[in-house]
Amino acid sequence: MYATHPVPDGLVLLDASETPAPSASVLERVEALWAETQARTPGLFNGSLFSLAAFDGARALGFMAQYKWYVAQLAEPSLFEALRVRSLAVSGLVNVRGHLVFGKRRAGLSLEGGLWELAPSGTLSDASREPDGSLSWRGQFARELTEELGLSAPLGALKAFALVEDTATNIWELGVSAELDLDPGDVLAAYAGLERTEHDQLSIVPLADVPRFHKTRRKELTGVTGPLLAAAGYIKS
């Protein structure tokens, strides 16, 4: 089930919360689940991601969790009690001259492989920070835009429009919109120049056609796609 929340004005992301201290048995189970996942998906890397703990006005407080914790919790939701991972991702709503960009996730990905999503999308890491030391959702989105689509955008042009919570998986998505003065052909050309991304196909859909795209591909879309499109006003909620 998905719940849509407004974005606090001046949203600030702080990795200032205490990291949970799971028991030895929980950590052992995490390692076992991680090994199973690596066997299915060779080359999977244990990085870190921002886990949301609480909101304090405009401040989103959390901690940096190991990716293996996130993977283990997805495999066994009962581990949430010990790991407390509420990952926060950025999910783009890229408008190129009246068209929205969708990407089809590669089939081998550990989460929602083979499904269509708004592109770019990605979990929030600590790779980008604001001058005050807070995590930068704008910087993260700009990185995803370059890595997944081969595009760039001024940070000031990026707008956060919704927070969508998946109450079943504890995954949160920060919807980010960007209007780029590009033709769909420019986007496809930039994407074609990339060596490899999380998507094996793009679809660039005219705004007037987005409701039909959503309706006809509903079973082929990631779960958060509909709530994000509805929050942005492109489909009825």
Side-chain angles (χ1 to χ4, degrees):
M1 183 174 179
Y2 293 87
T4 302
H5 309 274
V7 179
D9 291 337
L11 177 65
V12 176
L13 307 176
L14 298 172
D15 53 336
S17 297
E18 185 176 353
T19 303
S23 66
S25 62
V26 168
L27 293 176
E28 183 178 348
R29 184 59 182 151
V30 167
E31 292 299 331
L33 291 168
W34 177 244
E36 292 174 11
T37 304
Q38 284 187 306
R40 293 192 302 270
T41 313
L44 199 61
F45 172 70
N46 180 35
S48 62
L49 51 83
F50 180 70
S51 176
L52 180 65
F55 281 100
D56 178 13
R59 304 192 312 163
L61 307 176
F63 62 93
M64 299 309 299
Q66 294 186 63
Y67 184 67
K68 65 172 65 175
W69 287 20
Y70 167 76
V71 169
Q73 188 179 288
L74 286 176
E76 290 188 8
S78 62
L79 291 172
F80 175 74
E81 185 176 347
L83 301 177
R84 312 297 294 178
V85 177
R86 293 186 180 92
S87 70
L88 179 62
V90 291
S91 191
L93 203 80
V94 175
N95 183 331
V96 288
R97 294 182 184 167
H99 298 72
L100 288 187
V101 181
F102 294 84
K104 186 178 182 183
R105 295 172 60 80
R106 292 189 178 277
L109 295 177
S110 59
L111 179 64
E112 296 188 305
L115 299 182
W116 289 88
E117 67 179 353
L118 289 160
S121 296
T123 52
L124 190 75
S125 72
D126 58 356
S128 297
R129 291 188 181 268
E130 300 290 353
D132 63 2
S134 63
L135 300 176
S136 175
W137 57 264
R138 290 184 177 87
Q140 184 70 44
F141 182 84
R143 288 168 58 89
E144 301 291 342
L145 188 67
T146 299
E147 291 175 4
E148 295 184 12
L149 299 179
L151 304 175
S152 61
L155 296 186
L158 306 179
K159 308 296 182 184
F161 65 89
L163 277 161
V164 178
E165 173 191 5
D166 183 339
T167 58
T169 64
N170 294 296
I171 295 174
W172 287 65
E173 300 272 354
L174 178 65
V176 179
S177 63
E179 293 193 16
L180 306 182
D181 189 21
L182 297 170
D183 288 321
D186 298 328
V187 177
L188 293 173
Y191 169 76
L194 299 175
E195 185 172 337
R196 182 180 175 85
T197 77
E198 289 192 357
H199 304 112
D200 58 16
Q201 188 178 345
L202 293 187
S203 183
I204 304 181
V205 182
L207 297 184
D209 215 21
V210 168
R212 180 202 60 79
F213 182 87
H214 174 260
K215 182 178 180 179
T216 58
R217 294 184 181 267
R218 187 184 297 268
K219 294 182 179 180
E220 303 171 51
L221 300 174
T222 62
V224 75
T225 299
L228 286 170
L229 289 174
Y234 289 109
I235 63 171
K236 293 181 179 180
S237 58

